């Protein structure tokens, strides 16, 4: 029997395993379900979730055996972790020189078949495997191999979820103890509690912007390479096809009477139309690829991935990018017609601000404006359905939906952005609490109660500006963002 070698990155691999704090823990249903599913899909009597430390192979989950661990030198999975990119499949152990004399092959449990999918951590370390075993030689179908690999990724997801849940519980425990200690003190400590809540909002905002930045980076990475390839090769393709067209023209010039079969084919494909249409086609392809490049640029500008400090920026650009991302919500729906955007931009100087956070402000206000318009039209539809015999249904329709965006400079030397909608408006009860943390009037799962609270933190606390609003029930609302200009 050959002894398995250790991976080149063994110490780092062991550190990655120990990070999960999983060794010698009790069985858990989530892992047992994945193991049972692997055995069922692959049709084997034995399935294991194994973890390889420096001296042993320990089973976090097992089906078809009562053994909890084996020495590492006897572990089939010790070979699997040496090839983290691929499954290790041994159709017949007696015909594999690595295992032909293996104690677990020639004696109980008489393993004849092994298939292991490596458990690879997000940073690339193979810490064990999800494996299936049988006492008779066999093969796995392509679908079974793919399923085994997919289940191994789910094992890693459970490990990541487990460690993140532990951290979350620890954080919640710390927060609960801190809150209890604060509440036990006198009334004068309420200001500290409020400050902690504001810090919580900032952390949530930072996390949201970080997630947005990661999303944008991923989109840009995935789209840029293929679109650059297409864009770069359009000219080559255009030139090549033009050369073919030129060659065809020479044939037509020197052989004006082609063979009948050639003439019939030319008529069938309408060669003259193709020659005229090709330049238009290439222009359309070029325009489309440039459009995609512009969208990627807009994404990067909106998230401002490389700008975590104050910068001088054109806030109109942030507004336009927010409108671009919300365009699908501005289109006509079954509830309301297309929302018209009315822009009244002034000639503003570049504003010193935190660009990503200010962009998030415009996105939230515009999104709320669209929600308010939708709510008004939903309410009107309900009223019409409850009064089907009303004489003048047209007169009961709300005004055509619109959002007006104005920018300018106030007498107090503030740059302002006014975003007004003709939606449902805000009730007095909601106005008293709408900037409170976690307060929302939206249905469960639709709103978090963070939007306006975060906007207030961004505009007032981070930028030293003002956040104002005007509203009339059934007529709409207007939010005014004011950012101080640098003197």
């Amino acid at each position: 029997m050959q002894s398995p070698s250790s991976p080149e990155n063994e110490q780092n691999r062991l550190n990655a395993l120990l990070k999960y704090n999983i060794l010698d823990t009790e069985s858990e249903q989530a892992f047992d379900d994945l193991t049972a599913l692997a055995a069922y899909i692959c049709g084997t009597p034995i399935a294991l979730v194994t973890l390889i430390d420096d001296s042993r192979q320990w089973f976090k989950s097992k089906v078809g055996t009562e053994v909890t661990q084996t020495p590492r030198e006897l572990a089939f999975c010790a070979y699997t972790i040496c090839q983290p990119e691929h499954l290790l499949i041994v159709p017949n152990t007696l015909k594999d020189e690595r295992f032909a004399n293996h104690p677990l092959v020639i004696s109980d449990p008489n393993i004849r078949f092994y298939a292991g999918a490596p458990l690879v951590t997000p940073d690339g370390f193979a810490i064990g495997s999800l494996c299936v075993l049988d006492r008779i030689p066999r093969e796995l179908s392509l679908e079974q191999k793919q399923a085994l690999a997919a289940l191994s990724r789910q094992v890693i997801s459970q490990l990541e979820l487990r460690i993140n849940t532990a951290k979350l519980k620890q954080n919640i425990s710390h927060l609960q103890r801190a809150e209890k200690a604060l509440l036990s003190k006198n009334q004068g400590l309420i200001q500290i509690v409020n400050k902690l809540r504001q810090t919580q909002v900032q952390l949530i905002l930072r996390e949201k912007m970080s997630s947005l930045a990661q999303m944008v980076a991923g989109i840009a990475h995935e789209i840029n390479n293929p679109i650059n390839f297409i864009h770069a090769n359009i000219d080559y393709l255009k030139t090549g096809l033009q050369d073919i067209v030129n060659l065809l023209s020479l044939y037509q010039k020197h052989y004006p009477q082609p063979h009948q079969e050639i003439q019939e084919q030319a008529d069938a494909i309408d060669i003259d139309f193709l020659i005229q249409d090709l330049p238009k086609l290439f222009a359309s392809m070029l325009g489309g690829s440039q459009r995609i490049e512009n969208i990627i640029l807009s994404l990067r500008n909106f998230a401002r991935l490389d700008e975590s400090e104050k910068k001088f920026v054109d806030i109109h650009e942030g507004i336009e990018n927010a409108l671009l991302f919300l365009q699908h919500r501005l289109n006509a729906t079954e509830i309301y017609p297309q929302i018209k955007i009315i822009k009244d931009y002034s000639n503003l100087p570049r504003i010193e601000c935190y660009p990503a956070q200010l962009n998030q402000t415009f996105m939230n206000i515009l999104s709320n404006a669209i929600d308010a318009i939708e709510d008004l039209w939903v309410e009107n539809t309900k009223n019409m359905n409850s009064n089907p015999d009303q004489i003048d249904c047209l007169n009961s329709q709300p005004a055509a939906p619109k959002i007006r965006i104005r920018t300018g400079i106030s007498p107090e030397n503030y740059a302002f952005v006014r975003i007004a909608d003709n939606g449902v408006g805000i009730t007095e009860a909601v106005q008293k609490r709408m900037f409170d943390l976690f307060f929302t009037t939206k249905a469960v799962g639709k709103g978090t109660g963070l939007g306006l609270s975060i906007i207030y933190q961004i505009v007032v606390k981070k930028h030293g500006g003002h956040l104002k609003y005007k509203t009339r029930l059934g007529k709409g609302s207007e939010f005014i963002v004011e950012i101080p200009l640098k003197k």
Side-chain angles (χ1 to χ4, degrees):
M1 182 190 77
Q2 296 183 7
S3 296
S5 58
S6 297
E8 296 180 356
N9 55 4
E10 177 64 9
Q11 189 56 53
N12 291 333
R13 190 195 69 81
L14 290 173
N15 292 338
L17 170 62
L18 295 175
K19 178 188 70 172
Y20 290 106
N21 196 26
I22 189 73
L23 293 174
D24 299 311
T25 58
E26 297 293 330
S27 63
E28 298 177 43
Q29 189 64 48
F31 294 99
D32 292 343
D33 289 344
L34 292 171
T35 309
L37 188 57
Y40 175 76
I41 291 174
C42 296
T44 60
I46 303 174
L48 306 165
V49 171
T50 73
L51 299 169
I52 309 292
D53 65 11
D54 57 345
S55 62
R56 60 173 176 156
Q57 170 184 241
W58 178 74
F59 305 147
K60 173 60 182 173
S61 178
K62 55 189 184 295
V63 169
T65 181
E66 295 302 321
V67 179
T68 59
Q69 64 182 31
T70 68
R72 179 168 174 171
E73 57 268 19
L74 296 181
F76 280 58
C77 297
Y79 292 90
T80 304
I81 63 174
C82 294
Q83 54 175 59
E85 298 85 4
H86 308 288
L87 276 68
L88 175 62
I89 307 291
V90 184
N92 188 342
T93 55
L94 293 177
K95 295 183 178 180
D96 191 310
E97 61 181 8
R98 294 171 296 179
F99 307 109
N101 297 320
H102 195 288
L104 301 180
V105 173
I106 61 178
S107 60
D108 189 64
N110 302 113
I111 298 171
R112 293 292 182 271
F113 167 77
Y114 171 87
L119 302 178
V120 183
T121 66
D123 44 2
F125 298 107
I127 59 174
S129 78
L130 172 63
C131 63
V132 293
L133 304 96
D134 205 340
R135 297 180 178 89
I136 59 174
R138 62 183 302 134
E139 294 280 356
L140 291 183
S141 67
L142 175 61
E143 291 77 9
Q144 289 173 321
K145 294 176 183 178
Q146 291 173 339
L148 188 62
L151 290 173
S152 73
R153 293 191 291 271
Q154 289 304 311
V155 172
I156 287 294
S157 296
Q158 287 297 325
L159 289 172
E160 289 289 320
L161 178 61
R162 190 177 184 277
I163 194 172
N164 289 334
T165 301
K167 290 179 180 178
L168 180 60
K169 289 180 179 178
Q170 185 179 18
N171 291 338
I172 291 174
S173 178
H174 289 332
L175 288 173
Q176 289 174 339
R177 288 197 297 269
E179 186 175 8
K180 184 176 180 180
L182 288 171
L183 292 175
S184 67
K185 296 183 181 297
N186 59 37
Q187 191 69 18
L189 293 179
I190 292 178
Q191 294 180 351
I192 297 177
V193 176
N194 290 334
K195 186 174 182 180
L196 286 173
R197 290 187 178 276
Q198 293 174 6
T199 302
Q200 185 181 20
V201 173
Q202 290 298 323
L203 289 173
I204 293 171
L205 171 62
R206 191 176 306 153
E207 181 63 26
K208 289 181 69 175
M209 296 310 299
S210 174
S211 299
L212 177 62
Q214 293 175 11
M215 179 197 73
V216 171
I219 292 174
H221 176 75
E222 293 297 330
I223 297 179
N224 253 340
N225 288 338
I227 197 60
N228 284 341
F229 175 81
I230 294 171
H231 194 73
N233 284 282
I234 286 177
D235 284 339
Y236 292 109
L237 180 59
K238 181 179 179 181
T239 301
L241 284 175
Q242 187 60 51
D243 289 341
I244 295 174
V245 170
N246 291 340
L247 179 61
L248 180 60
S249 297
L250 287 174
Y251 269 100
Q252 291 175 330
K253 177 180 178 181
H254 295 286
Y255 299 96
Q257 298 298 327
H259 188 277
Q260 182 179 356
E261 184 178 357
I262 296 176
Q263 185 61 50
E264 289 175 352
Q265 181 64 21
D267 293 339
I269 65 175
D270 199 351
I271 188 67
D272 294 333
F273 172 78
L274 285 179
I275 293 174
Q276 295 175 3
D277 192 55
L278 278 176
K280 299 176 184 178
L281 178 61
F282 281 111
S284 177
M285 293 170 62
L286 185 61
S289 63
Q290 289 173 340
R291 174 63 175 160
I292 296 174
E293 288 180 337
N294 290 336
I295 290 173
I296 294 172
L297 179 60
S298 294
L299 281 169
R300 294 184 60 85
N301 288 339
F302 180 82
R304 298 284 183 175
L305 301 178
D306 55 348
E307 298 180 5
S308 58
E309 300 299 327
K310 274 191 171 183
K311 303 287 183 181
F312 283 92
V313 299
D314 180 1
I315 62 173
H316 293 143
E317 183 179 284
I319 297 171
E320 290 299 317
N321 288 331
L323 289 172
L324 174 64
F325 301 139
L326 292 171
Q327 181 60 51
H328 66 288
R329 297 196 60 199
L330 299 174
N331 297 329
T333 69
E334 295 180 356
I335 300 174
Y336 54 80
Q338 182 173 4
I339 300 175
K340 183 178 181 181
I341 301 296
I342 303 172
K343 302 173 188 177
D344 185 7
Y345 292 166
S346 297
N347 187 20
L348 291 180
R350 297 175 75 82
I351 309 299
E352 185 181 29
C353 63
Y354 295 95
Q357 297 183 18
L358 205 56
N359 288 346
Q360 183 68 36
T361 295
F362 300 143
M363 175 74 90
N364 282 2
I365 294 177
L366 287 166
S367 181
N368 286 342
I370 297 171
D371 288 340
I373 290 172
E374 180 177 349
D375 289 344
L376 179 63
W377 283 75
V378 168
E379 181 180 303
N380 179 74
T381 300
K382 290 180 179 178
N383 291 337
M384 292 181 63
N385 290 337
S386 62
N387 298 284
D389 297 328
Q390 60 185 348
I391 298 175
D392 193 354
C393 294
L394 292 177
N395 291 336
S396 68
Q397 286 282 0
K402 61 184 177 181
I403 296 175
R404 183 185 183 92
I405 307 173
R406 294 177 54 208
T407 63
I409 300 176
S410 69
E412 295 81 14
N413 205 35
Y414 283 80
F416 66 78
V417 178
R418 306 172 72 107
I419 300 176
D421 64 73
N422 60 345
V424 71
I426 307 172
T427 65
E428 290 187 10
V430 172
Q431 291 180 48
K432 294 177 182 178
R433 298 191 58 195
M434 65 183 186
F435 292 113
D436 291 351
L437 184 63
F438 301 123
F439 173 75
T440 180
T441 60
K442 298 177 181 178
V444 175
K446 186 176 181 182
T448 62
L450 296 174
L452 288 175
S453 179
I454 287 176
I455 290 173
Y456 182 85
Q457 294 291 326
I458 292 173
V459 175
V460 179
K461 302 298 184 181
K462 290 285 288 186
H463 289 88
H466 302 141
L467 178 60
K468 307 173 185 177
Y469 69 92
K470 300 176 182 179
T471 186
R472 288 179 60 193
L473 280 179
K475 299 296 182 181
S477 305
E478 180 179 42
F479 280 82
I480 304 102
V481 175
E482 294 183 341
I483 305 297
L485 293 174
K486 188 173 182 180
K487 297 182 179 179

